[in-house]
Amino acid sequence: MPRGMVHKTADREVFVAAAEQVAEDRFEVTARWPDDHLLYRAEEGGVRDSLVVVETFRQIGIHLSHRYYRVPTDHAFVLHGFEFELAEPLADRGSPVVFDTSVRRAGTNPRRFRLSARTVIRVGGREVGCAEMSWDALSPTQYGVVRSRGPVLKGGEETGDVLEALPAASVGRREESASVLATGPTQQADSWLLRMDTSHPALFDHASDHVPGMVLAEAFRQAVHVSSRQNAEPKEPLEPLDLRAMNMSFDAFGELGHLVVITIAADADSGEFLATARQYDRVLATARLAVPRSTVPLQRNRRAGAAC
């Protein structure tokens, strides 16, 4: 798949291998997941971090928009939200991974591209989960108007790219550069600062004028890992976080060079986590995440990603 069709700079970050239209507004998209990826490699037992579903689906939305819905390649994509739910840990072990995707375009204005998609994820022909997503594709002029609506932030406090990150093992990652959480002098319980390493080859594959949505999703995943294992000793090799469901919405653009605070609240009864990203007095994004526990069956957590 050409990198430009999924808005990626490096070949190793392209997770879409091929797409075939099988009916009106329905497509079978084959994913390609490298075993040695910085974030989504296959760990022991072949299990992958479930956020690979989000990044793959995001690329699918971009590719289908350009190829089948006549979205010009100079348009910017603004993600409104996504959700996914997995029935089991995600392990492909070399089996083909297919996203059976249905797309819906809202309205009839030829200059307005507002789309949504639902997908069923199959590994080796077996259904393992589902996901939904909605987004806008905006012309450079439209994007400029949208970006100008936000508050003007001047001066910035300590920027998120120079903070000292939490150790990689404590956030469930192997490379120290993959940790996006940091502590600060005003940190409260279950609250961290976002560390943005704009040189990271996966999280910042290409230049961005705002905090990428996948960086916030990764921060939420790491915060849940820390919060759910505060009393556990780090293990080597690391056990992947069994994140089975996530429902995330984006409310505002996060500005680079300004602190972002990530907070987590746990629901002891449901086993869900509520995550929030704030920049000053603005909420950038919120999410519900579900991590199955031996005492809480997964079906009780369906609110975290249940609509699909």
Side-chain angles (χ1 to χ4, degrees), residues 192 194 211 215-217 219-220 248-252 254 259-264 274-287:
W192 300 268
L194 180 65
V211 181
V215 172
L216 295 178
F220 287 170
M248 185 167 180
S249 61
F250 298 94
D251 302 291
L259 290 182
V260 175
V261 178
I262 305 295
T263 59
I264 287 286
L274 176 63
T276 306
R278 289 185 173 85
Q279 191 168 61
Y280 305 112
D281 60 346
R282 292 184 303 144
V283 174
L284 304 183
T286 58

Side-chain angles (χ1 to χ4, degrees), residues 109-144:
N109 186 336
R111 293 186 299 175
R112 182 183 178 93
F113 298 98
R114 172 159 290 184
L115 299 104
S116 60
R118 181 186 185 278
T119 194
V120 175
I121 306 158
R122 296 189 176 92
V123 176
R126 186 166 57 89
E127 183 176 330
V128 299
C130 57
E132 292 187 2
M133 180 175 61
S134 60
W135 67 96
D136 280 340
L138 305 176
S139 70
T141 299
Q142 291 170 325
Y143 183 72

Side-chain angles (χ1 to χ4, degrees), residues 65-297:
S65 296
H66 288 319
R67 183 175 176 184
Y68 296 101
Y69 293 91
R70 299 182 180 180
V71 174
T73 56
D74 67 345
H75 278 39
F77 283 70
V78 177
L79 188 61
H80 298 301
F82 66 81
E83 56 186 286
F84 74 84
E85 184 169 0
L86 298 173
E88 59 190 56
L90 190 63
D92 50 300
R93 298 186 180 91
S95 299
V97 179
V98 175
F99 284 61
D100 186 345
T101 305
S102 298
V103 178
R104 180 179 179 273
R105 179 174 176 176
T108 59
N109 186 336
R111 293 186 299 175
R112 182 183 178 93
F113 298 98
R114 172 159 290 184
L115 299 104
S116 60
R118 181 186 185 278
T119 194
V120 175
I121 306 158
R122 296 189 176 92
V123 176
R126 186 166 57 89
E127 183 176 330
V128 299
C130 57
E132 292 187 2
M133 180 175 61
S134 60
W135 67 96
D136 280 340
L138 305 176
S139 70
T141 299
Q142 291 170 325
Y143 183 72
V145 170
V146 170
R147 285 295 280 127
S148 67
R149 293 173 183 168
V152 177
L153 303 181
K154 296 181 178 180
E157 299 178 19
E158 184 180 7
T159 57
D161 58 348
V162 297
L163 298 171
E164 183 175 354
L166 296 182
S170 69
V171 298
R173 292 303 189 194
R174 293 186 179 276
E175 290 78 16
E176 296 301 328
S177 63
S179 176
V180 299
L181 297 183
T183 58
T186 60
Q187 182 189 9
Q188 299 178 351
D190 292 320
S191 176
W192 300 268
L193 299 177
L194 180 65
R195 176 182 176 271
M196 291 174 282
D197 178 5
T198 55
S199 66
H200 192 275
L203 293 172
F204 285 87
D205 166 77
H206 55 278
S208 177
D209 68 351
H210 60 277
V211 181
M214 286 304 296
V215 172
L216 295 178
E218 176 65 24
F220 287 170
R221 173 219 169 274
Q222 293 187 14
V224 168
H225 184 99
V226 176
S227 182
S228 64
R229 306 186 182 190
Q230 290 185 75
N231 299 321
E233 291 294 328
K235 295 182 179 181
E236 193 62 42
L238 292 173
E239 296 179 356
L241 179 69
D242 190 8
L243 179 62
R244 295 287 186 88
M246 186 173 184
N247 187 331
M248 185 167 180
S249 61
F250 298 94
D251 302 291
F253 288 98
E255 304 300 338
L256 298 171
H258 294 263
L259 290 182
V260 175
V261 178
I262 305 295
T263 59
I264 287 286
D267 186 328
D269 295 326
S270 70
E272 291 179 352
F273 294 85
L274 176 63
T276 306
R278 289 185 173 85
Q279 191 168 61
Y280 305 112
D281 60 346
R282 292 184 303 144
V283 174
L284 304 183
T286 58
R288 280 191 174 275
L289 307 94
V291 179
R293 302 178 303 180
S294 59
T295 57
V296 181

